[in-house]
Amino acid sequence: MLTDLPNILTLSRIGAIPVLVALVAMGSAMTDFAACLLFIAAAITDYLDGRLARARKQYSELGRMLDPIADKLLVGASLMMLAGTGHLPFGGLYPAIIILAREILISGMREFLASTRVSLPVTRLAKWKTGIQMTAIGFLLAGDGTGRLLHMPWLPVGLIGSILLWIAAVLTVVTGWGYLVTAMRHISRHDGASKIAS
């Protein structure tokens, strides 16, 4: 299973994280640009691994387990590095906290519901949230230094990234609330069924 292409792409996302962290830590315009490109490549693998798994019918429990883990590790590490290096301008730390808190909440709910054989399907709005979130992180990793490096000093890269991150945070709250309501409904049914059975 580890040699299946979809799983290799998923593992490559995890493997990219220490390289991404090192590039951001170096703190130059060139390494920021390289970190942005690496993040974009990792985000593309997130789209490709699922598509390839469906096309090749290479479904596996390992892939189902690793894919969300890789996504959360990539996003979490990127946001923490951005916060630690001061690359979250315009109050960007607050939407970052909201996004990370929501990821932990949803992960906990999914783990519990999995024990009751119930899954939380990904909504269309949640997919939009993920796309905007990934784009925001890409802009923030690039920073204003990348604009100057590409001879576009007029481009407010950091501002664009911060605005997109705030939008992603709003969508995070909306979709997180939807997931929470759905999860609580399933939990209530499960508790009700347990009382009847007892």
Side-chain angles (χ1 to χ4, degrees), residues 47-100:
Y47 168 77
L48 287 178
D49 58 9
R51 191 175 182 87
L52 286 171
R54 289 188 294 271
R56 297 183 173 208
K57 293 182 172 53
Q58 291 181 325
Y59 304 107
S60 68
E61 291 301 313
L62 178 65
R64 287 183 60 194
M65 179 190 73
L66 285 178
D67 186 60
I69 291 174
D71 295 344
K72 287 170 176 54
L73 286 175
L74 179 65
V75 169
S78 298
L79 289 175
M80 284 189 285
M81 282 305 298
L82 288 168
T85 55
H87 281 65
L88 288 174
F90 307 103
L93 178 62
Y94 301 106
I97 292 172
I98 292 170
I99 289 168
L100 288 175

Side-chain angles (χ1 to χ4, degrees), residues 3-4 33-35 53 65 67 71 89 105-106 116 124 136 145 160 164 166 192:
T3 57
D4 290 346
F33 183 45
M65 179 190 73
D67 186 60
D71 295 344
L105 174 66
I106 298 300
T116 64
R124 183 178 295 274
I160 293 171
L164 289 173
W166 274 106

Side-chain angles (χ1 to χ4, degrees), residues 8-195:
I8 291 173
L9 290 174
T10 302
L11 289 170
S12 73
R13 232 164 32 250
I14 297 174
I17 293 171
V19 181
L20 181 70
V21 168
L23 288 170
V24 176
M26 290 179 191
S28 70
M30 186 64 73
T31 56
D32 286 347
F33 183 45
C36 173
L37 293 178
L38 179 60
F39 183 82
I40 292 171
I44 291 172
T45 67
D46 185 25
Y47 168 77
L48 287 178
D49 58 9
R51 191 175 182 87
L52 286 171
R54 289 188 294 271
R56 297 183 173 208
K57 293 182 172 53
Q58 291 181 325
Y59 304 107
S60 68
E61 291 301 313
L62 178 65
R64 287 183 60 194
M65 179 190 73
L66 285 178
D67 186 60
I69 291 174
D71 295 344
K72 287 170 176 54
L73 286 175
L74 179 65
V75 169
S78 298
L79 289 175
M80 284 189 285
M81 282 305 298
L82 288 168
T85 55
H87 281 65
L88 288 174
F90 307 103
L93 178 62
Y94 301 106
I97 292 172
I98 292 170
I99 289 168
L100 288 175
R102 184 260 195 190
E103 293 298 335
I104 295 170
L105 174 66
I106 298 300
S107 295
M109 287 192 300
R110 287 188 190 280
E111 183 176 352
F112 171 78
L113 290 174
S115 67
T116 64
R117 300 184 181 276
V118 172
S119 63
L120 282 177
V122 178
T123 64
R124 183 178 295 274
L125 186 59
K127 291 179 180 179
W128 274 100
K129 185 274 301 182
T130 299
I132 294 171
Q133 174 181 287
M134 292 300 201
T135 305
I137 293 173
F139 270 93
L140 290 166
L141 286 169
D144 291 332
T146 296
R148 293 188 292 270
L149 184 68
L150 298 178
H151 306 292
M152 293 187 292
W154 45 267
L155 185 65
V157 180
L159 176 61
I160 293 171
S162 294
I163 291 172
L164 289 173
L165 196 66
W166 274 106
I167 293 172
V170 171
L171 294 178
T172 289
V173 172
V174 173
T175 57
W177 177 255
Y179 283 135
L180 180 61
V181 170
T182 302
M184 293 306 295
R185 190 181 303 124
H186 286 300
I187 291 170
S188 297
R189 288 175 184 171
H190 181 264
D191 288 344
S194 298
K195 288 179 182 178

